[in-house]
C-alpha cells in the first residue's frame, strides 16, 4: 500500500551551526560543524492530520511547544550534517504520514476460552493443595 508523505521544504527549517561534542583534536574547538535543525510543526505547510500525528509521537526531539529539534554532528562537514538532519526530519514526517490501521475487535474462540478456564482451574487446584490439611496434627 502506498502512502503520501509530503516533503519538508528547506525554507521552513532553521539551521544553527554549533560546535560538535566529543573528540576531534584541536579542530573541534575551532570549527562549528555540528547543526541544530529547528522545525515548527504548527506553522509548517504540512497537512493538519500529519501535523497532529507528528505532535502525538512520543519522541524526545519534539518539544511541548511543537518544535522539533534535531542535532547532527557525525560528519566533519557542515553540509553533510545539514543533509543528515534534514533526512532525519523527513523520516519523522514519513513515520507520521503513515495512517495507522484500525484495530478490529474480535472475540476469543471457544477452544481458547476452554483452555484458559482449564488452566485457571489447574492453577487453583495447585494453590489449594498448598494449605494445611485439616485433621492432620
Amino acid at each position: 500500500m502506498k502512502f503520501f508523505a509530503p516533503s519538508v521544504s528547506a525554507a521552513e527549517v532553521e539551521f544553527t551551526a554549533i560546535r560538535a561534542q566529543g573528540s576531534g583534536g584541536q579542530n573541534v574547538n575551532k570549527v562549528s560543524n555540528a547543526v541544530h535543525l529547528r522545525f515548527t510543526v504548527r506553522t509548517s505547510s504540512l497537512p493538519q492530520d500529519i501535523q497532529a500525528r507528528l505532535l502525538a509521537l512520543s519522541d524526545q526531539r519534539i518539544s511541548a511547544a511543537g518544535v522539533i529539534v534535531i542535532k547532527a554532528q557525525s560528519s566533519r562537514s557542515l553540509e553533510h550534517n545539514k543533509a543528515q538532519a534534514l533526512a532525519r526530519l523527513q523520516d519523522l514526517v514519513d513515520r507520521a504520514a503513515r495512517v495507522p490501521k484500525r484495530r478490529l475487535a474480535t472475540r476469543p474462540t471457544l477452544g481458547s476460552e476452554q483452555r484458559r478456564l482449564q488452566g485457571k482451574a489447574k492453577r487453583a487446584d495447585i494453590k489449594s493443595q498448598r494449605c494445611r490439611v485439616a485433621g492432620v496434627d
Side-chain angles (χ1 to χ4, degrees), residues 5-23:
S7 61
V8 178
S9 88
E12 296 177 327
V13 176
E14 175 189 332
F15 290 105
T16 307
I18 58 170
R19 289 193 180 137
Q21 293 176 325
S23 61

Side-chain angles (χ1 to χ4, degrees), residues 70-131:
I70 296 176
K71 182 178 182 180
Q73 63 178 5
S74 63
S75 175
R76 291 182 70 174
S77 166
L78 184 66
E79 294 304 316
H80 283 120
N81 285 334
K82 280 184 179 182
Q84 186 182 38
L86 268 175
R88 287 189 208 160
L89 177 63
Q90 189 62 48
D91 277 349
L92 269 178
V93 172
D94 291 347
R95 210 168 57 178
R98 193 176 298 268
V99 179
K101 284 186 178 179
R102 289 190 58 121
R103 183 188 178 280
L104 298 176
T106 57
R107 292 188 57 195
T109 62
L110 181 63
S112 68
E113 281 281 346
Q114 289 173 345
R115 286 189 296 274
R116 183 180 68 86
L117 292 175
Q118 286 171 355
K120 285 171 71 82
K122 184 177 178 183
R123 191 78 190 144
D125 187 43
I126 289 171
K127 288 187 173 190
S128 69
Q129 291 175 6
R130 288 183 189 157
C131 65

Side-chain angles (χ1 to χ4, degrees), residues 6-83:
S7 61
V8 178
S9 88
E12 296 177 327
V13 176
E14 175 189 332
F15 290 105
T16 307
I18 58 170
R19 289 193 180 137
Q21 293 176 325
S23 61
Q26 295 173 354
N27 191 54
V28 77
N29 298 326
K30 296 188 296 184
V31 184
S32 298
N33 282 340
V35 169
H36 262 168
L37 175 145
R38 291 187 185 279
F39 178 73
T40 309
V41 177
R42 290 189 177 96
T43 60
S44 67
S45 63
L46 295 174
Q48 291 294 324
D49 57 336
I50 294 178
Q51 284 184 16
R53 282 196 297 273
L54 195 58
L55 291 172
L57 287 176
S58 61
D59 196 314
Q60 65 185 14
R61 298 174 291 186
I62 303 172
S63 71
V67 178
I68 299 175
V69 179
I70 296 176
K71 182 178 182 180
Q73 63 178 5
S74 63
S75 175
R76 291 182 70 174
S77 166
L78 184 66
E79 294 304 316
H80 283 120
N81 285 334
K82 280 184 179 182

